[in-house]
Amino acid sequence: MAEESDQEKTEAATPRRVEEARERGQIPRSRELNTFSVMLVGATIILFYGGQLVVALKDLMRRGFSLTRAQIHDPLWLMQMFSDLTLSTIRDFTPFLLLLLIAALVTPMALGGWSFSTESIGFNFERLNPIAGLKRLFSWQGLAELGKSIVKVLLMGWVGFWLLNRHYQELLVLGQGDLMISIGRTGELLIWGLWYLAAILIIVAAVDVPFQLWEYSHGLKMTKQELRDEIKESEGRPEIKGRIRQMQREIAKRRMLAEVPKADVVIINPTHYAVALRYDSTQMGAPRLIAKGVDFLALRIREIAKKSQVPIVTAPALARSLYYNVKLEKEIPAGLYQAVAQVLAFVYQLRRTGGTPKNHNFDNLPIPEELRY
């Protein structure tokens, strides 16, 4: 039962999964919202500026069909006329088409933003599988799309019936009036009908947008096992993290050992501990611990100190105190000033005289009781 529950998609999508879906071009989209937006913008433009567009179209048709016989047989004149009509069409209709393009681009951004992915436009053999196509057709998503189509047909049919029922007497009379007036009134009724049809689509869009958002989030849900796998991948598997920490320790150890030749003194407990101190009165307020180690690492510190001719003194209690109470690259605490000062004074004196501290042992240094462990 636990394995079955781990395979059920009950967990919300993580930000990483959402980002991966966007990279694949998988973002929430509502075709109904796009259709409503473009249709409403187009109907509104035609409602307020349709007269100007009709006049422009009438002028283009008059110029394009008012030709003499000589003009028809003149290729140069026809090319010039074609160029003039093309430029006029672009000038008169570009603002209208540009507004439609803006509506088509801005509306998707309001829902799911823009996303361009080569994966979504790439060829996929699974799309040619008729069995997979039938599964999509009879899935609950397919049934939802069918339901939306039926609702759209019913709503638009109702709007069309309402318009005809409201204006059918006027439409019958238009055939008996002046031709130009009748054409203008018919166009006006058609424009209002288009606007009503566009406005009624807001009902479909209002249902489709929440549905698409829910379907998108539901489709990205993860199983508990997928969530655990992603956490492991993002934070690293335990064995990989352990290997990384080991490598970091090795790098830090090599860097620390490289500092030993710069030490003024190495203080040891002959069997276990070794610490290296450096003091520069112009840059430091107190001696600084630049290396420390136990057992094998302590042996390596002593070997490097011998090769670099760094003085080595034996002070078991001080070595243990420095090892446990001072961090790398930190200055020693005030409680150890006097003990370390005696060691450094001894080392500096030996430097001046050319002696070595091999056999000297500091047993009774003044170390506070709280710093002995």
Side-chain angles (χ1 to χ4, degrees):
M1 296 296 292
E3 293 181 358
E4 292 181 1
S5 63
D6 285 353
Q7 299 304 319
E8 294 179 359
K9 294 189 174 184
T10 58
E11 307 302 315
T14 61
R16 180 181 176 184
R17 189 177 181 91
V18 174
E19 184 62 28
E20 290 176 349
R22 291 187 63 86
E23 292 175 358
R24 297 192 302 268
Q26 187 178 354
I27 55 179
R29 283 285 182 262
S30 173
R31 287 180 295 179
E32 312 305 331
L33 180 63
N34 296 345
T35 303
F36 158 71
S37 175
V38 173
M39 195 170 181
L40 184 63
V41 170
T44 303
I45 295 173
I46 293 176
L47 181 62
F48 291 99
Y49 300 101
Q52 300 179 17
L53 295 177
V54 170
V55 171
L57 182 61
K58 177 183 176 181
D59 180 66
L60 290 173
M61 296 182 67
R62 180 184 58 78
R63 291 164 57 190
F65 291 106
S66 300
L67 306 176
T68 64
R69 182 179 179 84
Q71 291 172 341
I72 293 175
H73 291 84
D74 187 353
L76 294 178
W77 188 91
L78 290 177
M79 290 297 298
Q80 183 63 38
M81 174 58 68
F82 178 77
S83 176
D84 292 342
L85 291 177
T86 301
L87 292 177
S88 298
T89 302
I90 294 174
R91 182 195 62 210
D92 295 332
F93 291 92
T94 293
F96 171 70
L97 298 176
L98 185 60
L99 290 174
L100 292 180
L101 177 63
I102 292 174
L105 294 177
V106 171
T107 304
M109 185 178 66
L111 183 60
W114 290 339
S115 176
F116 178 79
S117 173
T118 55
E119 294 186 21
S120 60
I121 62 176
F123 184 78
N124 189 350
F125 285 98
E126 293 183 0
R127 297 175 183 173
L128 301 179
N129 188 347
I131 298 178
L134 289 174
K135 289 182 179 179
R136 290 193 299 269
L137 182 62
F138 292 101
S139 64
W140 65 272
Q141 291 94 339
L143 294 176
E145 292 295 329
L146 177 62
K148 288 190 297 183
S149 299
I150 294 175
V151 170
K152 283 195 296 185
V153 170
L154 292 176
L155 287 175
M156 299 182 76
W158 176 79
V159 171
F161 175 77
W162 176 76
L163 287 172
L164 288 175
N165 185 59
R166 182 178 181 182
H167 299 286
Y168 80 96
Q169 292 184 350
E170 183 179 1
L171 291 173
L172 293 176
V173 175
L174 287 177
Q176 303 175 2
D178 182 76
L179 178 61
M180 297 304 298
I181 296 176
S182 298
I183 292 176
R185 179 55 181 166
T186 303
E188 184 179 351
L189 292 176
L190 290 176
I191 291 173
W192 275 105
L194 179 63
W195 194 88
Y196 285 132
L197 291 174
I200 203 66
L201 286 178
I202 193 173
I203 299 176
V204 182
V207 175
D208 186 57
V209 169
F211 172 76
Q212 294 297 334
L213 292 174
W214 174 85
E215 183 181 15
Y216 175 76
S217 61
H218 181 76
L220 292 183
K221 279 189 173 181
M222 307 170 65
T223 64
K224 288 183 172 63
Q225 184 60 43
E226 289 175 336
L227 189 60
R228 286 194 292 265
D229 292 341
E230 181 174 310
I231 292 174
K232 288 182 180 180
E233 291 178 3
S234 60
E235 296 183 355
R237 298 185 181 276
E239 58 272 17
I240 297 176
K241 290 196 294 183
R243 179 60 179 166
I244 292 174
R245 285 195 295 267
Q246 181 181 356
M247 293 175 62
Q248 291 173 341
R249 286 194 295 267
E250 291 295 331
I251 293 173
K253 185 189 301 182
R254 288 196 294 268
R255 187 184 300 117
M256 181 187 71
L257 293 176
E259 293 294 318
V260 174
K262 304 176 184 178
D264 291 316
V265 64
V266 171
I267 304 172
I268 64 170
N269 172 337
T271 55
H272 295 292
Y273 300 92
V275 295
L277 297 179
R278 180 171 180 267
Y279 179 58
D280 184 348
S281 59
T282 61
Q283 298 179 357
M284 305 175 188
R288 182 175 298 169
L289 189 147
I290 60 174
K292 66 177 181 177
V294 295
D295 298 330
F296 177 76
L297 186 56
L299 179 61
R300 289 285 297 131
I301 292 174
R302 291 198 296 268
E303 290 175 350
I304 295 173
K306 289 178 181 179
K307 291 180 181 179
S308 304
Q309 297 182 348
V310 176
I312 302 175
V313 299
T314 302
L318 181 58
R320 290 193 300 268
S321 179
L322 289 169
Y323 180 86
Y324 286 111
N325 294 286
V326 185
K327 295 182 179 180
L328 281 174
E329 299 299 330
K330 298 297 182 181
E331 295 181 355
I332 65 173
L336 297 177
Y337 281 178
Q338 188 175 356
V340 172
Q342 291 184 24
V343 174
L344 289 177
F346 174 75
V347 170
Y348 294 155
Q349 183 179 4
L350 288 176
R351 284 182 181 176
R352 288 194 296 270
T353 60
T356 59
K358 290 183 179 179
N359 300 322
H360 193 87
N361 195 328
F362 290 86
D363 289 327
N364 300 313
L365 293 173
I367 300 175
E369 195 66 28
E370 66 273 11
L371 295 177
R372 284 186 174 270
Y373 303 98

